[in-house]
Amino acid sequence: MTDATTAPATGRVLLVGGGPGDPALLTVAGRDALAAADVVVTDRLGPVSALDEIAPQAEIVHVGKIPRGDFTPQERINELLVEHARAGRTVVRLKGGDGYLFGRGGEEWNHCVAAGVPVEAVPGVSSAFSVPALAGIPVTHRGLSQGVAVVSGHVGPDDPRSEVDWAALATTRLTIVVLMGVATLGSIAEALVAAGLSPETPAACIADGATPRQRSVRAPLSQIAAVADAEGIAPPAITVIGDVVDSLQDPASS
């Protein structure tokens, strides 16, 4: 029988938001967590390129979640966190952006708590706000928008799984930021226009935000899906809908 002097100590899990992709936008607390990690369980949207520098000591476990591609079930990710922590390791679950904004960090937290594994959250810089900023778009702006709604476009307005009231959003006068909405952008735009939002409302799609590959397109709401498709915009991409898209002056024009 194993006694308390020989039983391995339970490790811990740190749910770290890695920011939008640029390692420079990883928080100090996030870097500290990675530097202390024995294992890093990461997806492709975290600052993976910096792991060799920040966490050279850690075992890196890649858990793919590529749209219509490699996919590690969330249940298996939950199991990996607990398995490594029960082996006495410090485990960092590294996500892009902030793990509590469409990152399923809450599910991982609950799984760790249910398994009796110590777990901590390290918030990250959300791509929903930082990527538009890097593209020259503030999500709120005095005189134009007093608020912002961040919604998932993973399923379209006509999908029975959709929980977003697109018709209500169309009347709020808030900036709308859509994550995971490249494939459904056309149906989202149609639903918003049908509910009363002007088809001329400025919109922008920003792909590969906070990376050297970042690029963006702008067009009226009624045309943004077609323009994004013509320009080859692909996930990961963020769409911003509202007058804020055109609120900042272009430094090149001054």
Side-chain angles (χ1 to χ4, degrees), residues 18-248:
D22 185 344
L25 296 177
L26 179 66
T27 66
V28 173
R31 292 182 71 94
D32 289 346
L34 287 168
D38 298 307
V39 179
V40 177
V41 179
T42 184
D43 59 43
R44 69 191 180 99
L45 298 182
V48 180
S49 62
L51 292 180
D52 287 345
E53 171 200 347
I54 303 172
Q57 77 292 341
E59 174 187 350
I60 309 300
V61 180
H62 293 277
V63 286
K65 283 194 173 182
I66 300 175
R68 293 169 293 282
D70 291 340
F71 184 85
T72 302
Q74 185 62 47
E75 293 76 13
R76 179 55 186 152
I77 296 173
N78 295 346
E79 292 169 356
L80 284 169
L81 300 179
V82 169
E83 288 170 8
H84 284 292
R86 282 180 171 168
R89 301 181 180 115
T90 294
V91 185
V92 166
R93 171 66 173 113
L94 182 64
K95 300 169 175 288
D98 183 275
Y100 281 178
L101 183 61
F102 304 136
R104 303 186 73 170
E107 296 172 48
E108 292 166 357
W109 174 284
N110 284 342
H111 188 82
C112 290
V113 170
V117 169
V119 58
E120 303 172 37
V122 180
V125 176
S126 172
S127 60
F129 303 146
S130 58
V131 167
L134 292 170
I137 301 171
V139 294
T140 64
H141 190 74
R142 186 173 182 180
L144 293 179
S145 174
Q146 295 182 352
V148 54
V150 182
V151 294
S152 168
H154 180 66
V155 295
D158 296 330
D159 192 302
R161 296 170 294 169
S162 176
E163 299 174 353
V164 178
D165 189 338
W166 294 100
L169 277 180
T171 65
T172 62
R173 302 182 65 184
L174 301 178
T175 302
I176 302 171
V177 175
V178 182
L179 277 63
M180 302 177 290
V182 173
T184 58
L185 184 54
S187 61
I188 288 171
E190 290 174 3
L192 291 171
V193 170
L197 191 58
S198 170
E200 298 302 313
T201 302
C205 285
I206 310 113
D208 295 311
T211 76
R213 303 178 303 281
Q214 176 175 313
R215 59 198 184 96
S216 61
V217 298
R218 302 189 186 200
L221 176 59
S222 61
Q223 301 173 31
I224 188 62
V227 171
D229 183 61
E231 294 296 324
I233 296 295
I238 290 173
T239 300
V240 184
I241 301 167
D243 290 336
V244 294
V245 169
D246 293 335
S247 64
L248 298 190

